[in-house]
Amino acid sequence: MLVAAAVCPCPPLLVPEVAAGAAPEMDTARAACTDALGVLAAARPDLLVVVGPAEQSGRGRHPQGTPGSFRGFGVDVDVRLGPATDAAPERELPTSLAVGAWLLDRTGWADAPIEGLGIGEPLAPERCIEGGRDIAARAGRVALLVMGDASACRTLKAPGYLDERAAPFDAEVARALGAADVAAVEALDAELAYELKASGRAPWQVLAGAAEDAGLSGAVLYDDAPYGVGYLVATWS
């Protein structure tokens, strides 16, 4: 059963070495992520699953100990999803899960076994919701770290240029996450999210599926678009 969740953005810019001189601009978002992970630790889960967008289609599992890096962004920073194990991972973490692993390492996570789940961004809402239900049934106390960004079309200089639909979409996402409104998150328009380059849509709907019978309450800790991309930090507990 899902007992807690933290929703965090997944830009590599959260990692100071990647952001370089712009690192202080994300300090508030980093602090909010730290607070959100504190809610996960306080829930004392039996299992933590880190969910984030990935390029592959469908759902790709990443066991504890899977490595990742930010070398593709020009910095010599490596991460690992929790402590190393004897099993040899088949592939590296997608960027979103590498950011999640970095956050967990930064906060010294040692409270429960960890797994990663990369979600293909085109995955249909019903499959995301079904996947969330499956995760919630895997242990008596399950926590989720849900990585993903809102729209990337909030300003003229945003990666997706300015789209007038972006701000209302992000506002509804923030409202739904802040209220732990499971039905509203499940109802997010996948096509609109794709058009607005909102990478968090599928992971958020995994969260909604996991939380259907959990009776959790929500809170938004951070809501801004410093680079024309909506970044949200929220907790469900």
Side-chain angles (χ1 to χ4, degrees):
M1 180 176 181
L2 186 71
V3 295
V7 176
C8 294
C10 60
L13 289 173
L14 275 177
V15 180
E17 291 88 343
V18 175
E25 297 176 11
M26 296 294 287
D27 281 348
T28 304
R30 290 187 198 98
C33 290
T34 298
D35 291 343
L37 266 62
V39 171
L40 298 185
R44 298 184 178 278
D46 302 318
L47 172 68
L48 172 65
V49 180
V50 186
V51 182
E55 293 182 1
Q56 80 274 8
S57 61
R59 302 192 292 261
R61 295 190 179 278
H62 301 270
Q64 179 171 306
T66 301
S69 82
F70 297 96
R71 295 175 187 271
F73 299 93
V75 297
D76 187 15
V77 176
D78 297 316
V79 294
R80 189 177 297 277
L81 190 64
T85 66
D86 293 334
E90 295 180 3
R91 55 189 181 276
E92 283 201 347
L93 296 170
T95 299
S96 66
L97 298 190
V99 174
W102 179 84
L103 288 172
L104 290 165
D105 182 65
R106 180 172 181 260
T107 56
W109 180 271
D111 297 86
I114 305 173
E115 292 183 9
L117 182 65
I119 303 293
E121 291 187 44
L123 193 66
E126 55 269 21
R127 290 193 62 196
C128 296
I129 293 164
E130 177 188 358
R133 292 170 182 152
D134 291 343
I135 291 171
R138 293 193 51 210
R141 298 181 65 81
V142 176
L144 286 177
L145 173 54
V146 183
M147 310 299 296
D149 301 337
S151 73
C153 304
R154 292 277 291 272
T155 67
L156 292 173
K157 294 183 178 181
Y161 197 65
L162 177 64
D163 190 314
E164 294 181 354
R165 301 171 296 173
F169 176 87
D170 288 357
E172 170 57 14
V173 170
R175 185 208 66 77
L177 292 176
D181 188 337
V182 170
V185 177
E186 290 183 342
L188 289 174
D189 187 326
E191 182 175 350
L192 177 59
Y194 177 78
E195 292 174 0
L196 296 176
K197 303 184 185 301
S199 68
R201 188 275 308 171
W204 298 332
Q205 290 181 324
V206 171
L207 165 61
E212 283 181 337
D213 300 316
L216 303 179
S217 59
V220 171
L221 308 185
Y222 179 87
D223 179 5
D224 203 355
Y227 303 107
V229 182
Y231 297 147
L232 288 160
V233 180
T235 58
W236 289 18
S237 61

